[in-house]
Every structure is written in structure tokens, then in C-alpha cells.
Amino acid sequence: MNKINKLFSQRDDRKLLSLYFCAGCPTLDGTGEVILAMQDKGIDMVEVGMPFSDPLADGPVIQTAATTALKNGMTLDILLSQLHNINDKVKIPLVIMSYLNPIMHYGLEHFFQRCVECGVSGTIIPDLPFDDYIADVKPLADKYDVRVIMMITPETSEERIRLIDQHTDGFIYMVSSASITGAQQQFNETKQAYFQKINSMNLKTPRMIGFGISNRQTLQSAQDNAAGAIIGSKFVTLLSEHKNPSDALDALYEALEH
């Protein structure tokens, strides 16, 4: 069974916590160390960001991390090789977040084939059009049993949300707002109404809420309205500050208590 499906099928009522970091930042060779530290500290799933020069959905924290990673020499081939080197040690699901350009340049089927070889269970491609996903990407992803995770936002129509729920597997990435990534102190009434609207749709696919989660209030709100939360910018900031992933994770857990 795909590790993502296994995670959600075995969680019962436990709320999940997934973290994002940008591969190649702060150091080119630190990818494996960061992932294994997350696993040791109880993180349920890891979203490994492939840096890109024009990350449309990312805020300044992740853009800066991507710039550092690219300067350090990170490429998709290097990232997959790093993941392959730790494959036998990783028990939790790994999801590669990459914009479409690096994947197409690498070769679509080659990418999914390498995902299987490297222990990658899923991928998030923010700029992948849904029609192209259905026509070209989904057949290959299904062939290699890799989940393609689609995003929804407050601006996504109910019809599109229903299509995503029908044609994807694993989980739906529920973006907390229509803006770029970045830590927030609280989710306002508009976001709460959006969460409640999606709850009322009774979707079959579990959801994880991301963008803006940085403290106890935003974490609790996300976990109350989905299977769990995804934290990105807050952890990327702490990793840049502390350098050591274990110390950064300790600081994150402390921040989530306040």
C-alpha cells in the first residue's frame, strides 16, 4: 500500500503533522539529515521542496530558501539521489513539491519511475493544470503508484473541488488562503467560513490544511477542520536560524505551544 494511504487509513482520530522544507537549504547535502530528524521527532509526513527560480505560490521565506538552494547547486536529479541514499531508513511518507518545469525537463515518466526507486509516495505540482493532470500525468502516476496531490483554495469552485475529490487519491492540500505562503498569527472569520464550507461538502478524500500555520491557534484551527496540518514557512525560518534540524524542530514544537 502507498505510504500516504497507509498513514491516513491507520491514523484513527489522531491529527497529523506534515512539514515542508526546501531541499538544498541551508546546505546542499543536508536533505537526508533533515528528513531523518523529522522522522525521529514524530513528524508524520514530509514535503520536500524542489527549488525553482519562479515559485509563484511561495512567499518570501520559501523564495529565499529556494534561491539559496539553487545557488548551492540543488537539482531534481541530485535530490532524487539524496532520497535514494536514505530510502532504507525512511518509514514515513515523502512528498516532492515541485513546479512543473523541472519535472518536464527531467522527463515525466522518468520522474515517476525514480520516485518509486527513491521511496517517494507522492508529488505536489502547484502549476499543473487539472486537464493536463487527467490526460497526461495521472496515467503515469497510477502506473507507478505515486499520488499526485492537488491543491484547493478559497477561490476554487465547488465543481472543481468535486472533480479533484473524484480523480485524486492520498489527500487534498487545502490552502488556507488565496495568498502566497507565509506564517500567520490567526485564521480570521473568512478563513473559518471557508473551512466550514469544505467540511460541509463531505469529501471522500482526507484533507490537510497548509499555508500560514505557525502557532497553537492556527495549528488548532487547521487540525479541527482537517485530518491535519502542513507547516512550511515557519519551519524553513527556524531551520535557517538554527542550522541543526533537531534544534529547529525543538523550536518549532515550542512555538506551536504558544
Side-chain angles (χ1 to χ4, degrees), residues 5 7 15 17 26 41 67 78 84 100 107 122 138 148 155-156 174 199 213 224 231 237 248 255:
N5 296 89
L7 173 66
K15 297 300 183 178
L17 182 59
K41 295 282 186 178
T67 299
I78 289 173
H84 187 270
L100 187 57
K138 187 177 188 299
V148 179
E155 296 180 347
T156 307
M174 187 172 163
N199 286 337
I213 298 167
D224 285 347
I231 298 176
T237 297

Side-chain angles (χ1 to χ4, degrees), residues 8-254:
F8 284 93
S9 67
Q10 295 181 347
R11 75 178 184 90
D12 297 321
D13 291 329
R14 185 173 69 85
K15 297 300 183 178
L16 304 176
L17 182 59
S18 176
L19 296 188
Y20 166 96
F21 78 102
C22 182
C25 179
T27 65
L28 178 63
D29 299 325
T31 303
E33 182 185 6
V34 174
I35 292 170
L36 294 176
M38 289 183 180
Q39 179 171 270
D40 290 344
K41 295 282 186 178
I43 299 303
D44 296 296
M45 181 166 54
V46 180
E47 184 183 327
V48 186
M50 172 59 207
F52 185 55
S53 57
D54 190 23
L56 300 178
D58 294 324
V61 169
I62 293 177
Q63 286 186 20
T64 298
T67 299
T68 299
L70 290 171
K71 286 180 178 176
N72 286 342
M74 179 56 70
T75 65
L76 186 54
D77 194 52
I78 289 173
L79 171 56
L80 289 166
S81 296
Q82 290 176 340
L83 297 180
H84 187 270
N85 290 340
I86 59 168
N87 187 17
D88 60 338
K89 300 176 183 176
V90 178
K91 309 303 179 189
I92 59 178
L94 300 181
V95 178
I96 288 182
M97 185 281 194
S98 174
Y99 287 87
L100 187 57
N101 185 281
I103 294 175
M104 295 303 294
H105 188 263
Y106 192 76
L108 195 57
E109 182 158 10
H110 187 209
F111 171 72
F112 284 114
Q113 184 177 13
R114 286 287 286 152
C115 281
V116 175
E117 296 168 356
C118 301
V120 175
S121 301
T123 184
I124 300 168
I125 309 172
D127 57 342
L128 173 64
F130 188 76
D131 291 346
D132 291 347
Y133 160 71
I134 292 294
D136 302 319
V137 177
K138 187 177 188 299
L140 287 173
D142 289 348
K143 175 181 177 180
Y144 292 100
D145 196 32
V146 176
R147 302 291 171 259
V148 179
I149 308 305
M150 303 296 287
M151 291 175 153
I152 63 172
T153 78
E155 296 180 347
T156 307
S157 69
E158 183 170 337
E159 178 185 12
R160 177 54 59 92
I161 293 170
R162 296 284 185 197
L163 283 171
I164 288 171
D165 187 44
Q166 180 182 352
H167 293 288
T168 65
D169 192 7
F171 68 95
I172 292 173
Y173 193 132
M174 187 172 163
V175 177
S176 68
S177 70
S179 62
I180 57 176
T181 58
Q184 299 174 31
Q185 293 304 306
Q186 63 181 353
F187 289 143
N188 60 26
E189 291 182 5
T190 302
K191 293 184 177 66
Q192 296 290 346
Y194 160 59
F195 296 162
Q196 291 164 16
K197 173 194 169 186
I198 302 300
N199 286 337
S200 71
M201 292 179 67
N202 296 313
L203 304 177
K204 70 174 179 62
T205 310
R207 304 178 311 281
M208 296 284 283
I209 294 178
F211 283 44
I213 298 167
S214 65
N215 56 20
R216 184 169 64 179
Q217 197 276 349
T218 48
L219 176 66
Q220 185 71 50
S221 181
Q223 292 183 330
D224 285 347
N225 289 282
I230 301 170
I231 298 176
S233 295
K234 182 67 174 179
F235 178 70
V236 170
T237 297
L238 292 170
L239 185 59
S240 293
E241 289 174 357
H242 291 271
K243 309 302 181 188
N244 180 290
S246 247
D247 292 343
L249 286 160
D250 288 342
L252 177 66
Y253 279 124
E254 183 177 353

